[in-house]
Amino acid sequence: MAVGAFTVGATTVTKATPTATPLGRVVPAPASVTPGKTPYRITHDTAIQVDGSREARRIGEYLAGILRPSTGYRLPLSTHAGHGIQLRLTKGSFGAEGYRLDSGPSGVTLTAAHAAGLFHGVQTLRQLLPAAVEKNSVQRGPWQIAGGTIEDSPRYAYRGAMLDVSRHFFTVAQVKRYIDELALYKINELHLHLSDDQGWRIAIDSWPRLATYGGSTEVGGGAGGYYTKADYQEIVRYASSRYLEVVPEIDMPGHTNAALASYADLNCDGVAPSLYTGTDVGFSSLCVGKDLTYDFVDDVVRELAALTPGRYLHIGGDEAHSTSHEDYVKFMDRVQPIVTKYGKTVIAWHQITGAHPVKGALAQYWGLDDTDAAEKAQVAAAAKNGTGLILSPADRVYLDMKYTEDTPLGQDWAGLVEVKRSYDWDPGNYLAGVPTSAIRGVEAPLWSETIVTGANIDYMAFPRLPGVAELGWSPASTHDWDTYKVRLAAQAPRWDALGIDYYRSPQVPWPAS
Ligand code: TNX
């Protein structure tokens, strides 16, 4: 707080006026920050200037949608030059997602080469404003943005979060809310785990019982649910309006009880098992020897690929404990070409590296710090051979792991994962023998065996998710727990304003509320 003096009648009154949030106090940490002297102050006559492009206008509307309710200002969109907030798309060396923010007394300008960069810049701008800007009713300002320049672009192109909508089903509205939370931290990939033993969550026209029967329950025996094609497209559209790409996953050949229960013919013995509502893993397998299995996969992949504008299709491949190794390899050899035939890049859990990953495939590592050396070496060998890696070490970034023994939700098979532990590692040197170029990024999965409500999602994701987002975005040179925890703590009033529940870790110096 700065202290300002003013005079009322004959008395001089000293009043604390809030200073602007320092330019670098955002999550993820920007690549470069040059503080200036004088802040910009948003007032009733601020306008949001956009260039002629449709995308800049759309992002301007999005920004106005955040600022108008809390400031109470009109903040009209305009294409005329003048003072205010400017959003500009121009050629420049910003990269696919980078941006530049210039702030001074006459305005704030965000410049980027691509819309995603402008959008990420808007998230930075948002975090530089007081947390009350997130509220839905008129709040007191002042609405200052510190002066200076930020030049920012991501370390990794793939910065993901996964939501398991199979173990418990989440509605379109719940997924949209999570998308908004992810966007605030510049996450750009939303991986949806759409099928598992406990539920099939996406309508497939050629195999309708997958959704109507296979989607009719969930862990604990609740009603489950599934996305119609229109629902799924609505999620994809909303994600893309927040510059996130949807990565759909159909987990195969294990984790398939819901499909096997829906169609008896998919089973080697022709007998459909019951629906499953427990939390065991590794007991189901598609029938690798049957041709029908590949007709099924072809239909599912074809329909899902057609609904998905994104580049990727995730085929799972983890915990296939009921599939022999030989069958697993055979299955993956047949299924990966189906994915590429429909124009998608294969992603699979890192067990795929024990088979033959196709050219261009990405493997998602979900081992632990102490996963045995042979398994890590197999992943590293695949990486040397050209398989890209997404890092999701379970004892670091699995958002369903308990923070401490007392965490009411979550599991602990990978260990207890406090906030510092989830942040304090480097994706760049996590796996020995992996070429730097093989690391495509990081992803924080949220498995939902114990996660039932939107508030449960928030509590497990916050405050760990912003740390994973920072590992994916910020240069390694900014990595420092002691300064990170202060920036993280400063996010809490924003979560309060947004109604985001979070774990009040004693490791983080939260502001007194
Ligand atoms: C392991 S991680 C699984 C999931 C579980 C999760 C629970 C992975 C690829 N498989 O089936 O939901 O643990 O933490």
Side-chain angles (χ1 to χ4, degrees):
M1 305 282 263
V3 176
F6 59 99
T7 309
V8 180
T11 2
T12 299
V13 181
T14 335
K15 183 174 173 274
T17 55
T19 52
T21 299
L23 213 50
R25 193 177 292 168
V26 295
V27 177
S32 138
V33 176
T34 313
K37 285 213 175 59
T38 321
Y40 175 64
R41 184 164 173 168
I42 300 176
T43 65
H44 63 276
D45 56 21
T46 297
I48 298 177
Q49 293 148 39
V50 292
D51 61 28
S53 69
R54 204 166 45 111
E55 282 177 307
R57 170 162 284 273
R58 244 195 3 190
I59 294 168
E61 289 291 359
Y62 166 88
L63 174 61
I66 293 167
L67 301 181
R68 282 177 189 145
S70 47
T71 61
Y73 303 147
R74 277 180 57 237
L75 298 167
L77 253 63
S78 138
T79 47
H80 301 296
H83 295 295
I85 301 171
Q86 279 197 53
L87 306 182
R88 299 193 319 165
L89 283 172
T90 60
K91 290 210 174 70
S93 51
F94 303 100
E97 294 187 284
Y99 66 91
R100 176 183 167 111
L101 179 151
D102 294 290
S103 173
S106 62
V108 175
T109 303
L110 285 171
T111 319
H114 299 281
L118 269 191
F119 184 80
H120 296 321
V122 162
Q123 303 308 325
T124 298
L125 179 63
R126 202 176 154 183
Q127 290 190 22
L128 291 172
L129 286 163
V133 80
E134 307 294 346
K135 295 201 174 162
N136 263 329
S137 56
V138 178
Q139 307 291 312
R140 277 181 114 197
W143 306 107
Q144 299 192 98
I145 296 146
T149 296
I150 291 177
E151 288 174 290
D152 203 8
S153 60
R155 179 180 185 189
Y156 294 111
Y158 191 110
R159 304 177 308 280
M162 188 209 81
L163 186 62
D164 171 7
V165 297
S166 178
R167 270 53 176 272
H168 281 97
F169 181 64
F170 296 97
T171 63
V172 173
Q174 288 172 316
V175 176
K176 284 183 177 176
R177 180 177 155 90
Y178 199 42
I179 289 170
D180 280 328
E181 295 173 0
L182 300 174
L184 179 54
Y185 296 100
K186 303 183 174 76
I187 295 281
N188 67 349
E189 304 284 349
L190 174 67
H191 169 183
L192 289 175
H193 185 74
L194 289 170
S195 71
D196 212 302
D197 293 316
Q198 297 86 346
W200 185 285
R201 306 298 181 205
I202 178 74
I204 299 294
D205 296 336
S206 50
W207 299 74
R209 270 174 63 81
L210 291 171
T212 57
Y213 182 71
S216 66
T217 193
E218 61 186 5
V219 167
Y226 65 89
Y227 305 122
T228 64
K229 288 190 166 180
D231 289 339
Y232 178 80
Q233 285 172 307
E234 174 67 11
I235 292 171
V236 165
R237 193 201 56 75
Y238 193 81
S240 112
S241 77
R242 271 57 175 158
Y243 296 89
L244 278 94
E245 178 178 48
V246 171
V247 180
E249 178 187 354
I250 300 295
D251 202 346
M252 312 179 262
H255 292 278
T256 43
N257 188 77
L260 296 166
S262 304
Y263 288 96
D265 285 351
L266 289 176
N267 296 270
C268 284
D269 62 4
V271 180
S274 311
L275 292 171
Y276 181 69
T277 60
T279 59
D280 288 347
V281 296
F283 60 88
S284 56
S285 179
L286 290 173
C287 187
V288 172
K290 266 193 181 178
D291 280 341
L292 182 72
T293 296
Y294 306 95
D295 296 341
F296 163 78
V297 172
D298 193 290
D299 288 337
V300 169
V301 169
R302 184 185 66 252
E303 292 193 34
L304 190 53
L307 290 173
T308 305
R311 295 161 289 177
Y312 304 115
L313 203 146
H314 199 307
I315 55 172
D318 59 311
E319 296 174 325
H321 306 320
S322 305
T323 320
S324 70
H325 177 69
E326 193 194 349
D327 273 0
Y328 181 85
V329 173
K330 225 192 270 175
F331 180 83
M332 286 302 177
D333 281 349
R334 261 182 97 168
V335 163
Q336 294 179 88
I338 298 175
V339 174
T340 54
K341 177 176 79 174
Y342 291 114
K344 299 300 177 193
T345 295
V346 171
I347 306 184
W349 299 104
H350 76 260
Q351 280 70 26
I352 187 91
T353 60
H356 310 116
V358 291
K359 195 163 178 290
L362 305 184
Q364 184 168 6
Y365 181 78
W366 62 283
L368 314 181
D369 285 11
D370 64 2
T371 285
D372 64 65
E375 189 169 339
K376 286 179 177 164
Q378 180 188 287
V379 173
K384 280 188 202 131
N385 241 329
T387 299
L389 300 183
I390 298 163
L391 298 183
S392 301
D395 54 345
R396 299 283 181 174
V397 303
Y398 264 31
L399 299 178
D400 62 316
M401 289 301 122
K402 289 176 181 288
Y403 296 99
T404 71
E405 272 171 16
D406 297 330
T407 307
L409 305 165
Q411 308 210 49
D412 61 4
W413 66 262
L416 299 169
V417 183
E418 252 287 10
V419 181
K420 179 172 191 235
R421 181 171 177 77
S422 76
Y423 167 81
D424 225 356
W425 60 286
D426 179 4
N429 64 18
Y430 184 74
L431 284 176
V434 170
T436 319
S437 62
I439 307 291
R440 303 305 161 78
V442 293
E443 183 179 293
L446 179 50
W447 300 98
S448 64
E449 286 92 336
T450 66
I451 309 301
V452 184
T453 65
N456 292 168
I457 295 178
D458 289 353
Y459 186 78
M460 298 309 274
F462 290 86
R464 289 179 292 200
L465 172 81
V468 184
E470 174 146 326
L471 290 174
W473 180 280
S474 305
S477 59
T478 64
H479 190 94
D480 174 48
W481 166 253
D482 288 323
T483 50
Y484 170 68
K485 72 181 179 190
V486 175
R487 285 183 290 110
L488 182 64
Q491 298 290 307
R494 198 164 303 272
W495 302 335
D496 290 334
L498 288 165
I500 297 175
D501 192 17
Y502 62 96
Y503 163 57
R504 285 149 181 86
S505 168
Q507 299 182 325
V508 181
W510 306 111
S513 51

